[in-house]
Amino acid sequence: MINYIWVGMTLIGVIYAMVNGTMDAVNEALFKGAKEAVTLCFGLMSILVFWLGLMKIAQDSGLLDKLSALFRPFIRLLFPEIPANHPAMGYILSNMMANFFGLGNAATPLGIKAMEQLKILNGGKDSASRSMITFLAINTSSITLVPTTVIAIRMTYDSASPTDIVFPTIIATVISAVGAILIDRYFHRKRVRNGRR
């Protein structure tokens, strides 16, 4: 559906430009946008490669395992119905660590794997389980210590201080994560009171 929307918007824009005689401006914006997109991609690529490299070092050194062990008791409280040694727990912790370091691109495949494991735990049903809903809420609002992508964008556009975003990001993501957990728990308790799981 989104493809049809984009094609429709493009066609409307081109037709409007043809009618108003502003095709030169459209062509100029097209080439300028393409140039900026390539510049932005290279800027993002360099910073993401750097942070992914650091994450790999942290993984090989055992730092991620230690962080995961630190967060495991808290995760057990959020996901009481997942067995402690189930693969879903490992994927959830890895996803949270990737999001913690602002590596959304690395977190996505881990999140998909976690959802696949949670679906197996849910008996392969098409309806979402409590754990799946909780994981989605936490994944969407995850706490981010280093907003890697935003820093890369700010560096690409020559920000005087690209890391100024770090502290506001920590505050905003902590608030959003706490809010997501509270809302998730509220609706879960409401469903239990109404006799549903």
Side-chain angles (χ1 to χ4, degrees), residues 35-62:
K35 181 182 175 184
E36 285 189 8
V38 170
T39 304
L40 182 61
C41 284
F42 277 110
L44 286 172
M45 196 183 310
S46 60
I47 195 81
L48 283 173
V49 166
F50 172 74
W51 280 106
L52 285 170
L54 281 181
M55 187 128 177
K56 181 67 176 162
I57 292 168
Q59 182 181 14
D60 291 345
S61 68

Side-chain angles (χ1 to χ4, degrees), residues 102-128:
L103 301 170
N105 294 336
T108 300
L110 296 167
I112 292 169
K113 286 284 189 186
M115 278 295 192
E116 287 173 354
Q117 292 297 324
L118 290 172
K119 185 171 182 177
I120 291 169
L121 269 177
N122 196 31
K125 297 176 189 171
D126 288 333
S127 58

Side-chain angles (χ1 to χ4, degrees), residues 142-158:
S142 61
I143 296 173
T144 303
L145 181 65
V146 184
T148 308
T149 306
V150 178
I151 291 172
I153 291 170
R154 287 169 61 89
M155 287 173 70
T156 301
Y157 288 101
D158 300 321

Side-chain angles (χ1 to χ4, degrees), residues 1-9:
M1 182 65 181
I2 195 76
N3 291 337
Y4 294 119
I5 293 170
W6 280 112
V7 169
M9 288 172 60

Side-chain angles (χ1 to χ4, degrees), residues 75 79 82 86-97 99 106-122 129-136 138-139:
I75 298 304
F79 301 96
I82 300 177
H86 195 275
M89 193 62 76
Y91 286 123
I92 289 170
L93 285 163
S94 298
N95 171 272
M96 289 181 71
M97 290 300 104
N99 278 325
T108 300
L110 296 167
I112 292 169
K113 286 284 189 186
M115 278 295 192
E116 287 173 354
Q117 292 297 324
L118 290 172
K119 185 171 182 177
I120 291 169
L121 269 177
N122 196 31
S129 67
R130 175 189 175 192
S131 295
M132 293 168 92
I133 295 168
T134 301
F135 176 63
L136 183 62
I138 291 170
N139 186 50

Side-chain angles (χ1 to χ4, degrees), residues 32 146 173 196:
K32 185 180 178 185
V146 184
T173 56
R196 295 183 297 176

